[in-house]
């Protein structure tokens, strides 16, 4: 079997940040880097559901305000 590599434009990324402006800035930066399939969320429950249902290649979580919930989510994953 040939070596299969995932490129950034094929990767699925889930982004959580409760602040809309920061999510938008991060999304724009990630798009500039070559990511195309970015799912961004402002609440932790939607983030958790997306991670469980989609099994993304990369997850970026902001720990600033939701440390307890995010640590629980990471343990769950």
């Amino acid at each position: 079997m040939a070596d299969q590599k995932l490129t950034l434009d094929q990767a699925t990324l889930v982004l959580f940040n409760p602040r809309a402006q920061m999510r938008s800035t991060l999304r724009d930066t990630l798009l500039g880097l070559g990511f195309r399939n970015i799912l961004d969320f402002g609440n932790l429950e939607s983030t958790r559901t997306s991670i469980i249902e989609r099994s993304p290649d990369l997850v970026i979580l902001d720990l600033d305000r939701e440390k307890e919930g995010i640590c629980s989510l990471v343990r769950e994953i």
Side-chain angles (χ1 to χ4, degrees):
M1 178 180 259
D3 188 331
Q4 296 179 354
K5 293 184 180 181
L6 185 67
T7 60
L8 296 181
D9 65 330
Q10 297 172 318
T12 300
L13 186 148
V14 169
L15 168 66
F16 164 76
N17 194 299
R19 293 172 285 196
Q21 180 63 39
M22 183 58 77
R23 276 196 319 277
S24 177
T25 300
L26 289 168
R27 179 184 251 300
D28 290 346
T29 300
L30 292 163
L31 286 167
L33 291 171
F35 288 97
R36 296 293 171 255
N37 192 12
I38 302 169
L39 307 165
D40 63 278
F41 301 95
N43 73 66
L44 203 49
E45 192 54 43
S46 295
T47 304
R48 173 182 276 111
T49 300
S50 181
I51 291 170
I52 291 168
E53 290 177 355
R54 298 177 189 264
S55 297
D57 301 295
L58 180 63
V59 176
I60 299 175
L61 305 167
D62 177 60
L63 282 171
D64 189 34
R65 296 184 184 174
E66 302 264 352
K67 288 182 184 173
E68 219 44 51
I70 290 172
C71 289
S72 174
L73 175 59
V74 169
R75 284 189 295 273
E76 184 180 334
I77 295 169

